[in-house]
Structures are given as C-alpha cells and as structure tokens.
Amino acid sequence: MATEKGRKVCVTGAGGYAASWVVKLLLSRDYLVHGTVKELSDEKNAHLYKLEKASENLKLFKADLLDYNSLYSAIAGCDGVFHVASPVPSTTVPNPEVELIEPAVKGTLNVLKACLEANVKRVVVVSSEAAVSLNPSWPKGCVMDETCWSDKEYCRTTNNWYCLSKTEAESEALEFAKKTGLDVVTVCPTLVLGPLLQSKVNASSLVLIKLLREGYESLENKLRFIVDVRDVAEALLLAYEKPEAEGRYICMAHMIKARELADKLKSKYPSYNYPKSFTEVAEEKMLSSEKLQKLGWSDRPLEETLSDSIESYKKAGLLD
C-alpha cells in the first residue's frame, strides 16, 4: 500500500503500549506519522519524542475517540490509519456500557467515518483474540480461525465486557467497510508481551508481572497465547502494506501452559515469587495464525520475548 505518495499515516492512541511500537516501526521505515493522544503535554507521551526520527517525522494531535472533529484533524491528509486506541481495563469497570462498550464502538466508528471523509486508502483496526475465542458453540477440538467470532450474548451473560467491547467494535468496523467500500483490515492479537516503551505499565504486561511476584497459592494451568509487541507492530504494517491483505487476521505466536511458562521463567529468573501449585483445567480452545503467516508474518522466539519483557520491567522499576 505504501508508495512515495502514501507515506503519511495516523496512529490512534499513539502513547499506548502497542501503539508506541507501531509508531517506532513506522518512523524507522520513513513514514510521516500523525499520532493521536489525550493530552499533548502529558508525560505519558514523552517516550514518543525520544524515538529516532520523531523530531522531524512525528506530529501529535490532541484527540478523543468520541470527538469526531478532533479525530478528523489528525487523520486529514493521511493515506493510512492504524486504529490502535481502545480502553483496556486493569481493574473492575463499574459501568461497562459507558466505560468500555461506548468508547470502543463509537470511537471506532468515528475513526472510520473520518477515514472515509478524508479519503484514506486503508485502515488497519487492532481488535483482539477476545473477539474470536469466547464462543462456547465452536466445535471442540476444532482450531479457531478468522471465521470464529466471540458470542456477544455469551459475553454479556458472563459479564465479559472487554471481550464484548472488542467483538462489537470489530464487527461494526467490518460491517462499515462492507457498506461504504472503505478498505478495512482487522488484526486480532492474543496476550501481548515484550519490552515497554511507555512509562506506565499496561494491562497485558501486568499478567506476566503478577505471575512473577504475586505468590499465588494456586493458579489454573491455562493455555496462554502469547505474541511479542514488536511482532504485533510488524503484523499491522504488513496488513497495511500488502495489497492482498483483507478481512481479519489472528496474531498469535506461542501457545504455552501456565505451569510450563512459570518453569521456563524460573530456570532463568529463580528468585521471583512463583505460584506454589497449578490446578488442571478442561480441554481448551486452540488458535491459528496461519492466515497471517501466509501474508509473510513471522515471530521471534518466546524466550526472547520473556527475557526482554523482564529486563524492561526491571529498568522501569516494576520488578526488583
């Protein structure tokens, strides 16, 4: 998709965990980047200005997902948009409809409407495995692929509001594309780990930090689906640049049980407070990233992701 004339792109929620790596990658590939942030003076965006080529090729815009005009100002003149911004709760949400569903769905539609008005060539929307895998009616033993969607009613009845927000937002995005002809590609990452660029810890990194220091008496030996944040950024750029990219893509690199993950970490970092025991769980779902791999995507070793994550957390003062 990117040509000499198509190298100005917008990244929503630019200061966030995954979005920061997308900005970094785009700058390294000589893109001109517009980034949306909640506050221009926010210290949470300081790391963006330190990125290589940021001083000449990065421009930040104050924008809110629920404020159409602010989004349009950032998107106008861009050939591509990476819609990464979406609320991810790290604690219980008292009012999920207002705090999660509305920003996710209305925010996504505002971005897409602005893209349509600005004649954007392609939009890459970051969804989540959460929009794929919460489907109790999917046949047992069948690998979940891009044809599988989380069941919205099941999400509601189980109070799985984050899954519902991602499912609603992604399905609305693809429906909008169908109705308007806007070129929209969605990418559904699993649990995203890897080094931090931003100063504030994010929800997915907390999963790993808690495994190391929480000292659980017992933890379910669940299957974890992990992907490196740097590989997610590469997947999003592939989805933008490859003309043949279409529809949705699951972005998952490694499947590993919680006990095996803890053992792997303990062998290199023995001093942390690991779970004392693990309880077995029923047979679990399986996912496939075959469609994304066919597009040319590859991933780094899990050991690299884990060690780079932990060294990053130490540097940030999140781990001893």
Side-chain angles (χ1 to χ4, degrees):
M1 289 293 299
T3 64
E4 285 304 308
K5 290 182 179 177
R7 301 199 73 86
K8 185 183 282 189
V9 294
C10 178
V11 179
T12 65
Y17 177 47
S20 296
W21 280 102
V22 175
V23 171
K24 180 178 169 68
L25 178 62
L26 289 166
L27 290 172
S28 75
R29 304 284 175 89
D30 294 319
Y31 278 87
L32 301 172
V33 181
H34 286 188
T36 75
V37 293
K38 286 184 177 176
E39 292 295 337
L40 289 172
S41 59
D42 203 324
E43 220 171 86
K44 287 187 283 187
N45 304 316
H47 63 286
L48 294 175
Y49 292 113
K50 294 174 188 170
L51 296 174
E52 197 175 341
K53 301 182 185 174
S55 56
E56 61 267 33
N57 287 345
L58 175 64
K59 183 178 181 183
L60 297 184
F61 292 75
K62 181 180 177 178
D64 188 300
L65 288 178
L66 299 181
D67 179 351
Y68 177 83
N69 290 331
S70 68
L71 287 171
Y72 182 78
S73 297
I75 289 168
C78 291
D79 291 272
V81 170
F82 296 84
H83 178 40
V84 191
S86 186
V88 181
S90 53
T91 56
T92 305
V93 178
N95 191 342
E97 292 287 352
V98 172
E99 295 173 56
L100 269 178
I101 313 294
E102 185 181 2
V105 177
K106 284 192 178 175
T108 296
L109 289 175
N110 276 342
V111 169
L112 297 178
K113 286 170 186 171
C115 290
L116 192 64
E117 187 182 343
N119 294 315
V120 165
K121 302 292 185 294
R122 175 171 285 177
V123 190
V124 179
V125 174
V126 178
S127 182
S128 168
E129 172 246 335
V132 177
S133 61
L134 212 68
N135 188 330
S137 63
W138 190 260
K140 279 192 174 178
C142 284
V143 176
M144 289 178 164
D145 59 16
E146 286 77 8
T147 63
C148 184
W149 284 86
S150 290
D151 184 301
K152 293 178 187 178
E153 200 47 49
Y154 183 73
C155 291
R156 279 190 184 280
T157 56
T158 55
N159 295 326
N160 217 314
W161 302 110
Y162 176 69
C163 289
L164 180 60
S165 75
K166 298 307 284 188
T167 308
E168 291 275 19
E170 187 187 1
S171 57
E172 288 279 357
L174 292 172
E175 190 58 34
F176 183 92
K178 197 188 293 183
K179 284 180 182 171
T180 63
L182 183 66
D183 187 350
V184 175
V185 179
T186 65
V187 177
C188 303
T190 55
L191 178 67
V192 183
L193 299 176
L196 307 172
L197 288 175
Q198 85 286 6
S199 57
K200 187 183 174 188
V201 68
N202 58 296
S204 61
S205 297
L206 274 175
V207 173
L208 184 55
I209 291 168
K210 285 180 176 179
L211 181 66
L212 293 165
R213 74 175 188 198
E214 202 76 6
Y216 297 105
E217 278 300 320
S218 181
L219 193 66
E220 285 188 332
N221 193 24
K222 282 185 173 178
L223 195 58
R224 287 288 188 188
F225 304 95
I226 296 171
V227 64
D228 193 290
V229 67
R230 295 161 291 188
D231 295 334
V232 172
E234 292 282 0
L236 298 178
L237 189 54
L238 265 179
Y240 176 64
E241 290 187 338
K242 290 274 190 173
E244 65 270 29
E246 53 80 34
R248 64 202 304 237
Y249 291 88
I250 293 170
C251 184
M252 184 273 299
H254 306 284
M255 291 186 285
I256 186 169
K257 287 274 196 174
R259 186 201 302 270
E260 188 187 344
L261 178 60
D263 288 345
K264 194 180 282 284
L265 289 163
K266 201 184 291 185
S267 67
K268 189 169 183 183
Y269 300 98
S271 62
Y272 290 110
N273 198 11
Y274 293 95
K276 295 173 179 61
S277 66
F278 292 87
T279 56
E280 292 309 316
V281 294
E283 183 186 337
E284 296 181 274
K285 67 200 179 227
M286 305 286 277
L287 294 171
S288 169
S289 280
E290 187 181 345
K291 185 183 176 192
L292 186 58
Q293 288 159 354
K294 284 178 178 174
L295 200 62
W297 182 73
S298 58
D299 55 79
R300 67 198 65 216
L302 178 59
E303 290 72 17
E304 182 183 339
T305 298
L306 295 176
S307 60
D308 286 357
S309 298
I310 291 165
E311 295 307 322
S312 168
Y313 304 155
K314 285 181 179 178
K315 192 176 173 186
L318 299 165
L319 285 175
D320 298 329

